[in-house]
């Protein structure tokens, strides 16, 4: 069976013929078109990533760009400053860029010159487009949990669109044309703010709930399993240490994935059976190492879920069939 994620074979011509040499039918002398032109894909040809002169995928370049980054001469960019850069150090937009910038960068990096994902008009024909966008949706959902009051602000659309005039006021109630909610109504941003109202959610937004913090960070909450007497002095090298969440400011919810959870399926291992109230211990710690109570950082309750084999209804809404393991209040 041909890997359906490798590419999509076009049933009809996509875009328009370019000058000789710049069309896939010119292989093995295919020349990648200029960025200002949308590549032409004839019917029967697949979507592609980093095409060579024979109109074949160059996965070595794809992997280098996705994982490391390469220069124009294909040499790798060295990892001279791993980790998050200091806010005082100019290192691209990594410490203040928006999620949209991250989204855009992946399109360019994954498609490469001549690759479908890199071109706005044809990106959605690459099967990876949908994986990319559901992940953006997941990342945005996590951002919403951290900043529940942040949302679309009223602004002026200077450029306009096919349906909206230039210099019009836009906000969360502006129609998102051409996406129809009904025959007479378009979707609005306000309609999709709460993903749970749309019938789905993500495990990471459900596992650990936290009230608006009473304490402004930075601080960390260490999680210990089956160690009731854990304190700020208990080392993280302890076999009972399951992980931590670090907080820089007031946060409503955070994520905790204990050992024994399969990272792919989200299932709690069958051997991992514990008493939620007795065996889970949270130890909030300040930067100076001093321990404080969960209530002081706004934690009043934790809940443990697992998610397995979600069913998809006829409207592509996910029905959660996971198990609820219990809760503990502080």
């Amino acid at each position: 069976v041909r890997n359906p994620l490798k590419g999509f074979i076009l049933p009809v011509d996509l875009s328009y013929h370019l000058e000789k040499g710049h069309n896939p039918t010119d292989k093995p002398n295919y020349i990648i078109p200029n960025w200002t032109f949308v590549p032409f894909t004839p019917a029967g040809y697949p979507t592609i990533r980093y095409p060579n002169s024979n109109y074949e995928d160059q996965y070595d370049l794809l992997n280098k760009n996705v994982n490391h980054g390469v220069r124009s001469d294909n040499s790798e960019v060295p990892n001279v400053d791993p980790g998050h850069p200091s806010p005082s150090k100019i290192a691209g937009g990594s410490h203040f860029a928006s999620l949209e910038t991250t989204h855009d960068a992946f399109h360019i990096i994954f498609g490469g010159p001549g690759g479908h994902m890199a071109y706005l008009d044809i990106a959605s024909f690459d099967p990876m487009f949908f994986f990319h966008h559901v992940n953006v949706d997941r990342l945005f959902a996590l951002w919403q949990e951290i900043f529940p009051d942040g949302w679309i602000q009223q602004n002026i659309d200077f450029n306009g669109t096919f349906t909206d005039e230039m210099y019009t006021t836009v906000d969360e109630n502006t129609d998102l044309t051409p996406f129809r909610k009904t025959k007479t109504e378009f979707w609005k941003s306000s309609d999709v703010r709460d993903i749970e109202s749309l019938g789905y959610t993500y495990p990471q937004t459900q596992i650990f709930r936290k009230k608006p913090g009473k304490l402004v960070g930075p601080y960390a909450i260490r999680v210990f399993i089956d160690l009731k007497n854990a304190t700020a002095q208990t080392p993280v090298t302890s076999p009972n240490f399951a992980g931590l969440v670090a907080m820089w400011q007031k946060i409503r919810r955070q994520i905790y994935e204990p050992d024994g959870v399969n990272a792919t399926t989200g299932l709690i291992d069958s051997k991992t059976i514990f008493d939620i109230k007795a065996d889970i211990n949270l130890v909030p710690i300040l930067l100076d190492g001093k321990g404080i109570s969960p209530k002081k950082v706004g934690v009043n309750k934790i809940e443990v879920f697992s998610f397995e084999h979600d069913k998809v209804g006829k409207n592509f809404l996910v029905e959660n069939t996971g198990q609820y393991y219990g809760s503990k209040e502080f």
Side-chain angles (χ1 to χ4, degrees), residues 4 45 52 77 84 88 91 209 234 247 271 314:
Y45 277 69
N52 60 17
V77 176
H84 197 283
S88 61
R209 296 175 179 264
T234 304
M247 303 181 186
K271 297 179 181 178
K314 61 181 180 179

Side-chain angles (χ1 to χ4, degrees), residues 2-8 47 49 59 110 126-128 131:
R2 184 180 186 275
N3 182 358
L5 303 182
K6 184 178 185 295
F8 172 66
T47 56
R49 302 150 188 170
Y59 284 108
F110 198 85
D126 188 315
M128 190 54 63
F131 279 80

Side-chain angles (χ1 to χ4, degrees), residues 186-234:
F186 291 102
W187 285 96
K188 299 176 175 61
S189 298
S190 57
D191 295 325
V192 297
R193 181 172 185 175
D194 179 15
I195 61 173
E196 292 185 10
S197 69
L198 301 175
Y200 74 98
T201 188
Y202 295 99
Q204 293 93 337
T205 65
Q206 299 297 308
I207 293 173
F208 193 120
R209 296 175 179 264
K210 181 179 183 297
K211 277 189 173 181
K214 296 180 180 179
L215 176 70
V216 176
Y219 58 90
I221 299 179
R222 294 177 181 174
V223 183
F224 293 89
I225 302 295
D226 196 22
L227 190 64
K228 296 180 181 179
N229 60 347
T231 66
Q233 284 69 49
T234 304

Side-chain angles (χ1 to χ4, degrees), residues 62-113:
L62 170 62
N63 291 332
K64 283 183 179 180
N65 275 280
V66 170
N67 297 316
H68 304 290
V70 294
R71 301 186 180 92
S72 57
D73 61 358
N74 290 332
S75 62
E76 289 193 23
V77 176
N79 188 15
V80 295
D81 188 16
H84 197 283
S86 167
S88 61
K89 183 175 182 179
I90 303 301
S94 56
H95 60 287
F96 59 81
S98 68
L99 178 57
E100 183 176 7
T101 300
T102 303
H103 157 269
D104 294 352
F106 183 85
H107 268 279
I108 297 172
I109 290 172
F110 198 85

Side-chain angles (χ1 to χ4, degrees), residues 30-43:
Y30 173 63
I31 302 172
I32 298 172
N34 187 289
W35 281 102
T36 57
F37 295 96
V38 176
F40 170 66
T41 312

Side-chain angles (χ1 to χ4, degrees), residues 208 210 219-224 241 243-247 254 256 281-285 294 297-299:
F208 193 120
K210 181 179 183 297
Y219 58 90
I221 299 179
R222 294 177 181 174
V223 183
F224 293 89
F241 177 66
L244 61 81
V245 287
M247 303 181 186
Q254 261 294 352
Y256 157 53
N281 190 11
L282 301 187
V283 182
I285 298 177
V297 297
V299 175

Side-chain angles (χ1 to χ4, degrees), residues 207 223 225 242-243 256-262 267-268 272 274 280 304-305:
I207 293 173
V223 183
I225 302 295
Y256 157 53
E257 295 182 353
D259 290 342
V261 174
N262 186 301
L267 297 178
I268 291 183
T272 307
F274 51 86
I280 292 186
V304 179
F305 297 85

